[in-house]
Amino acid sequence: MTTQLDFNTMREIFARFHAREPEPRGELEHVNAYTLLVAVALSAQATDKGVNRATKALFEIADTPAKMLALGEEGLIEHIRTIGLYRNKARNVIKLSRILEEQYGGEVPSSRAALQALPGVGRKTANVVLNMWFRQPAQAVDTHIFRVGNRTGIAPGRNVDVVERAVEDNVPAEFQLHAHHWLILHGRYTCTARAPRCSLCLINDLCTFEEKTA
């Protein structure tokens, strides 16, 4: 298993990420906390681009829990039919919208426990919402972060929970807020799964990956 990088190396890595892109942003389109929550919930086993295509028209007519409930499950399905597992996701979106409307006055709670209690909302989804909307240093570990964390030595771990703790424990505090976005974007566009673009990598000289590509 890859060895965790030392603190000075970690600081240099994230200083480089920060210098290149000081305010990285997620790629799921949204207009408020509710639409962000829905978009992230819909993105499970789907691409951000695919979700954005489906939600563009949806969020123009249903950007609050009340409007989503008025649209109804079948109306929602018509908008998200191109997304994988759309029926189950539509069911969960309607259920969570009803809970938000009845228990939270239509607002999205800023508590991880409250978010995870919503249908179809797991820890990763909750962490994305907490980070992107409420600006909490929550680390949402997806397949990109899991791969980059283990391949580079930034956050090695046998499962997503261990990798999440490694990011929280080892990334310098001043970089915690944007850490997961830097790592996701790095994994999505540079440190890709099948053919990592090592020759273009910003942290090539600091990474522990032994099979670097030319």
Side-chain angles (χ1 to χ4, degrees):
M1 184 169 159
T2 306
T3 302
Q4 172 71 53
L5 296 173
D6 63 76
F7 182 78
N8 288 334
T9 303
M10 292 285 285
R11 180 179 292 282
E12 176 61 22
I13 285 173
F14 284 93
R16 292 183 190 182
F17 285 148
H18 178 269
R20 183 178 62 182
E21 193 167 7
E23 290 286 331
R25 299 190 181 280
E27 297 182 325
L28 284 173
E29 295 174 1
H30 59 282
V31 296
N32 53 29
Y34 173 71
T35 54
L36 173 61
L37 173 62
V38 171
V40 180
L42 293 176
S43 71
Q45 300 182 49
T47 66
D48 288 0
K49 290 181 179 179
V51 172
N52 289 340
R53 283 194 297 269
T55 59
K56 182 176 177 59
L58 172 64
F59 291 158
E60 291 178 357
I61 61 172
D63 60 355
T64 68
K67 291 178 182 177
M68 191 68 76
L69 291 171
L71 180 64
E73 187 173 326
E74 290 305 317
L76 172 56
I77 284 174
E78 290 305 309
H79 286 276
I80 66 170
R81 195 178 291 276
T82 56
I83 300 175
L85 306 174
Y86 65 89
R87 288 195 179 277
N88 187 55
K89 290 177 180 179
R91 192 175 305 116
N92 284 332
V93 168
I94 294 300
K95 287 180 179 178
L96 73 81
S97 298
R98 184 168 292 111
I99 292 172
L100 292 177
E101 189 66 20
E102 294 177 352
Q103 298 183 21
Y104 297 97
E107 299 295 323
V108 175
S110 59
S111 156
R112 179 184 285 115
L115 287 168
Q116 286 190 247
L118 297 171
V121 178
R123 186 178 180 88
K124 186 183 81 169
T125 296
N127 281 349
V128 171
V129 174
L130 292 173
N131 182 276
M132 289 182 63
W133 192 261
F134 296 104
R135 296 188 68 82
Q136 296 182 22
Q139 307 302 332
V141 177
D142 68 351
T143 56
H144 296 299
I145 293 183
F146 186 80
R147 179 179 66 256
V148 172
N150 278 286
R151 182 183 278 172
T152 63
I154 290 173
R158 298 185 185 278
N159 57 57
V160 294
D161 293 333
V162 176
V163 170
E164 181 181 328
R165 287 196 296 273
V167 175
E168 291 175 345
D169 291 344
N170 298 298
V171 173
E174 64 265 38
F175 301 121
Q176 283 280 331
L177 180 61
H178 295 312
H180 98 273
H181 274 131
W182 283 318
L183 294 174
I184 286 172
L185 295 172
H186 190 64
R188 185 172 289 166
Y189 298 111
T190 303
C191 196
T192 51
R194 294 185 179 179
R197 305 169 70 192
C198 298
S199 62
L200 304 177
C201 178
L202 189 68
I203 60 169
N204 185 306
D205 58 316
L206 303 174
C207 167
T208 61
F209 186 45
E210 295 181 354
E211 301 173 24
K212 290 187 174 71
T213 60

